[in-house]
Amino acid sequence: MPADGRYDGRAAVVTRVVVKRLLVGVLVMWGAASLIFVIVRAAPGDPATLLLGPDAAPDQIRELTAKLGLDRPLPVQYVSYLGDVVRLRFGDSYLFNRPAMAEVFERMPATAELMLASTAIAVIAGLTLGLIAGGRPGKVVDRVVSAGTIALQSFPTFWSGIMLILIFALALRLLPSAGSGTPAHLVLPAITLALPFTATVARLTRTSVAETMREQYINTARSKGLTERQVLLGHALRNSLIPVVTIIGLHMGGLMGGAVVVENVFAWPGVGTLVVDAVANRDYTVVQAATFLVAGIVMIFNLAADLVYSQLDPRIRLESAA
């Protein structure tokens, strides 16, 4: 019976934390949607003129502006916009003449594919490098990994992408430089997006493993006759993953931002290229729909990171995060 009571109490705490995180996420999404509403309307240019062309008659421009609802006062537009957001209705795209959210959803699989591939590369490579360096602190391999990760974090994403294109696409002709359709097209953009993330995971894993290897229970494991590999993988790795999992969840939002650059460098048909085209053409509805969807995805990743973090280390009490 006491065990059931503890379980019920734990479940109640988890429920409270999830509800609070969701409420915070709703506020974040409202803020993001409001901010993009202000930004796209403060940008220079007139959507009606861009759609009709510079040779359009003033009457045509006024008619299209009224049809788009852009002739109304900004507060009225904002209230109407928030009402549409609550109903997940963002209107039709000016450029594609179809629901804006449908256009975003159509591009999302390509972005999700790019993000998942880059995350897998970053996690596998980052954990491997971090374990190797953290298990041998102060050694040559530790210094090499530390210097390499600093360099990776220093390179701009677009520059890394261009260099990979010059080497593997133009010079060696091993991989396509742009486009999509085959697994080969995914390699260069996924690596480009993963490089700074790999450096972050590697540095954090290295620091965490190096600290864990100095704990008393590690010495106890060694005294039992376990090899360094068994100690590292069987004992040090689990506790070292706690901060790494957290940063992975939080960094997923950063991947969305990096995907905008990478997709445009490699002409990858994802949400990033869609948003850039929409901004250039003042397609308000697409920009707002994409922003709302990305904010929701970031909120879900942050919530998942909090929950996984608590499960990896049972000593951590969710009450402290509440």
Side-chain angles (χ1 to χ4, degrees), residues 10 22 239 318:
R10 181 77 171 173
L22 290 176
N239 288 335
L318 284 176

Side-chain angles (χ1 to χ4, degrees), residues 127-202:
L127 285 177
T128 302
L129 292 173
L131 282 171
I132 294 174
R136 301 170 179 81
K139 304 296 183 180
V140 174
V141 65
D142 180 27
R143 296 175 182 175
V144 171
V145 170
S146 298
T149 53
I150 292 175
L152 287 179
Q153 288 182 313
S154 302
F155 297 148
T157 303
F158 72 89
W159 183 87
S160 300
I162 293 173
M163 290 299 103
L164 290 177
I165 290 174
L166 290 176
I167 296 172
F168 294 100
L170 298 181
L172 301 179
R173 299 185 180 277
L174 296 176
L175 295 166
S177 61
S180 62
T182 67
H185 287 90
L186 180 62
V187 175
L188 290 183
I191 292 176
T192 302
L193 186 59
L195 286 179
F197 193 14
T198 301
T200 300
V201 173

Side-chain angles (χ1 to χ4, degrees), residues 80 82-89:
S80 176
L82 289 183
D84 290 338
V85 167
V86 172
R87 297 190 299 270
L88 297 180
R89 292 168 51 190

